[in-house]
């Protein structure tokens, strides 16, 4: 019986405007086709026709290599295609070697997308875990080919870049919040409806309609939410006084030098609200939740993402 | 607020891109004059200059026009053309295609 090839997660390759590729490690991939089929809608016992009416693959991916992903996707999303700053994306699955047969030279599987739209989903970190970023690739047809081209005979790209970041000190509306439980920054990048060209099942184009980032912070020092804040219900937060930090971990060490410009610094503008004053059960530590919906300050985008920053223990 | 370390042209240009929701990858496709044009849109403290939004928009239009022209100048096939063949798997043709 011939061996059945089996695959595991590989990497994503992002090609810039001059087709130079960066290969980034992933922790999760989900690539549904969103195929839509419908029958003829008749009153017959059995459907007499079954047609495919839509085919719109969307790749949802997660990675710990946050700076690598953010190098290619900005807050407002990033179009992928010829003549653009990101020209192509490959999602590669690695074939596993098994006891039936040794791997050949090009055993891996590649899904290539030459037109699409990249969006950031969420950046989040909790406790001592590594921070992660989720991002989405909406695939589009380029006018003649389908949105995804699959090739089951490719070599594994090298080198695949791996990065890890841990939770750093942060400041919200001018107040330092040490030892947070964690935070999630949901970018909420909404797209317009993807529609196909006439006589096609593939979406032809897409664009970003709105970007409404929201930060949710879980903290333990309940006293940080003061009576003064509760009296007004919300506090203005600006880029100058609202900072999240991610500390880059060092391979074969703990952290990169704090003075090196390799750490993550995210500043936000918006309105800081106490979302949950206290949440606690017996034999547990109490936590509170803060929410910060972000807005435009008239000059800068609501969230500024900088992963070439030194780390500041007292931001 | 601590001053941003916006020393180099590229660091300034990156800050301007971030302020407009764009990723650093945009800088890779820019030539020196385009980078300098972006960098001029913020001062030493990282604050955007007056009418930076409109100037940014015009700079990006010029950048993408140049990228398009550069792409057309090459006779060789673009590396982004998909390698579509029967070996790639099911060929999902459009309705009506044979």
């Amino acid at each position: 019986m011939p061996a059945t090839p089996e695959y595991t997660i590989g990497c994503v390759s992002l090609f810039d405007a001059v087709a130079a590729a960066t290969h980034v490690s992933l922790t999760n991939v989900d690539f549904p086709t969103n195929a839509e089929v419908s029958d003829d809608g008749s009153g017959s016992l059995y459907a007499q026709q079954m047609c495919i009416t839509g085919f719109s693959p969307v790749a949802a991916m997660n990675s710990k290599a946050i700076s690598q992903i953010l190098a290619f996707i900005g807050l407002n999303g990033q179009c992928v295609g010829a003549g653009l700053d990101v020209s192509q994306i490959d999602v590669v699955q690695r074939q596993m070697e098994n006891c039936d047969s040794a791997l050949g030279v090009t055993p891996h599987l590649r899904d290539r997308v030459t037109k699409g739209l990249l969006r950031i989903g969420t950046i989040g970190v909790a406790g001592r875990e590594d921070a992660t970023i989720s991002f989405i690739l909406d695939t589009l047809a380029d006018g003649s080919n389908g949105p995804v081209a699959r090739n089951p005979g490719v070599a594994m790209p090298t080198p695949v870049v791996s990065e890890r970041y841990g939770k750093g000190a942060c400041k919200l509306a001018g107040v330092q919040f040490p030892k947070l439980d964690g935070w999630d920054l949901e970018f909420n990048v909404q797209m317009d409806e993807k529609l196909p060209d006439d006589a096609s099942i593939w979406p032809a184009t897409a664009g970003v309609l709105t970007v409404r980032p929201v930060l949710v912070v879980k903290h333990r020092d309940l006293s940080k939410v003061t009576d003064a804040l509760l009296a007004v219900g919300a506090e203005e937060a600006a880029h100058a006084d609202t900072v999240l930090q991610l500390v880059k971990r060092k391979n074969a060490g703990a952290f990169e030098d704090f003075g090196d410009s390799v750490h993550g610094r995210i500043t936000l503008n918006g309105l800081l609200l106490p979302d949950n004053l206290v949440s606690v059960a017996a034999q547990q530590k109490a936590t509170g939740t803060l929410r910060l919906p972000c807005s435009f300050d008239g000059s800068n985008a609501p969230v500024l993402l900088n992963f070439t920053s030194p780390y500041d223990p007292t931001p | 607020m601590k001053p941003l370390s916006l020393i180099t042209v590229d660091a300034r240009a990156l800050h301007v891109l971030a302020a407009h929701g764009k990723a650093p990858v945009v800088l890779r496709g820019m030539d020196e004059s385009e980078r300098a044009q972006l960098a001029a849109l913020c001062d030493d403290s990282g604050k955007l200059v007056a009418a930076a939004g409109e100037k940014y928009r015009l700079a990006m239009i010029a950048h993408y026009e140049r990228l398009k022209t550069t792409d057309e100048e090459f006779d060789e096939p673009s590396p982004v053309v998909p390698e579509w063949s029967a070996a790639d798997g099911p060929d999902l043709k459009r309705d009506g295609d044979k």
Side-chain angles (χ1 to χ4, degrees), chain A residues 172 177 179-183 216-225 273-280 285-291:
Chain A
L172 302 171
F177 279 79
K179 299 178 189 170
L180 289 177
D181 265 20
W183 51 263
V216 175
V217 173
K218 201 169 169 187
H219 68 103
R220 282 183 288 175
D221 185 354
L222 303 181
S223 69
K224 294 280 185 187
V225 178
L273 316 155
D275 213 26
N276 192 348
L277 293 179
V278 59
S279 173
V280 67
K285 283 180 182 170
T287 58
T289 311
L290 300 162
R291 188 160 51 96

Side-chain angles (χ1 to χ4, degrees), chain A:
Chain A
M1 188 175 285
T4 303
E6 291 180 311
Y7 301 89
T8 185
I9 201 158
C11 67
V12 63
S13 302
L14 302 119
F15 294 75
D16 65 18
V18 292
T22 303
H23 315 292
V24 183
S25 64
L26 296 172
T27 57
N28 291 83
V29 178
D30 201 24
F31 208 162
T33 63
N34 299 304
E36 294 170 22
V37 292
S38 59
D39 65 24
D40 55 336
S42 70
S44 307
L45 180 60
Y46 303 119
Q48 291 173 292
Q49 289 199 22
M50 193 63 69
C51 301
I52 184 160
T53 56
F55 193 85
S56 173
V58 177
M61 294 172 267
N62 287 48
S63 177
K64 292 182 179 181
I66 299 177
S67 84
Q68 298 297 323
I69 298 302
L70 290 180
F72 284 85
I73 317 174
L75 180 68
N76 299 357
Q78 175 64 53
C79 292
V80 178
L84 298 174
D85 296 303
V86 178
S87 54
Q88 173 177 289
I89 307 285
D90 287 347
V91 183
V92 179
Q93 311 306 331
R94 181 170 63 84
Q95 187 178 330
M96 295 181 292
E97 190 163 19
N98 61 30
C99 300
D100 286 335
S101 59
L103 291 183
V105 181
T106 56
H108 309 295
L109 184 141
R110 181 188 72 199
D111 288 323
R112 174 163 286 182
V113 176
T114 54
K115 189 178 174 192
L117 177 64
L118 282 164
R119 293 177 287 152
I120 317 172
T122 308
I123 297 176
V125 65
R128 286 185 297 170
E129 293 173 10
D130 290 338
T132 58
I133 184 169
S134 69
F135 59 105
I136 303 130
L137 170 62
D138 287 89
T139 65
L140 303 167
D142 64 4
S144 51
N145 297 300
V148 181
R150 173 163 283 188
N151 185 339
V154 299
M156 192 68 193
T158 56
V160 177
V161 184
S162 165
E163 287 179 335
R164 299 170 65 184
Y165 292 88
K167 182 165 56 68
C170 85
K171 185 167 71 175
L172 302 171
V175 179
Q176 288 191 17
F177 279 79
K179 299 178 189 170
L180 289 177
D181 265 20
W183 51 263
D184 278 298
L185 179 54
E186 177 81 44
F187 288 89
N188 294 313
V189 182
Q190 299 297 324
M191 289 172 58
D192 57 356
E193 188 184 3
K194 294 181 291 182
L195 292 173
D197 281 336
D198 291 340
S200 173
I201 58 170
W202 301 317
T205 191
V208 171
L209 265 184
T210 57
V211 183
R212 300 283 188 269
V214 178
L215 171 71
V216 175
V217 173
K218 201 169 169 187
H219 68 103
R220 282 183 288 175
D221 185 354
L222 303 181
S223 69
K224 294 280 185 187
V225 178
T226 61
D227 187 49
L229 174 59
L230 291 178
V232 291
E235 177 85 33
E236 190 180 355
H239 287 293
D241 64 16
T242 304
V243 181
L244 303 172
Q245 291 189 105
L246 292 171
V247 199
K248 189 170 187 182
R249 296 194 198 277
K250 185 177 185 176
N251 185 28
F255 295 108
E256 298 287 352
D257 286 345
F258 289 174
D260 290 353
S261 296
V262 295
H263 304 286
R265 180 183 175 91
I266 301 171
T267 66
L268 308 99
N269 183 84
L271 201 57
L272 181 67
L273 316 155
D275 213 26
N276 192 348
L277 293 179
V278 59
S279 173
V280 67
Q283 299 173 27
Q284 275 187 2
K285 283 180 182 170
T287 58
T289 311
L290 300 162
R291 188 160 51 96
L292 200 164
C294 301
S295 58
F296 184 53
D297 67 358
S299 176
N300 295 293
V303 178
L304 294 178
L305 304 155
N306 179 359
F307 277 74
T308 54
S309 174
Y311 175 67
D312 182 355
T314 54

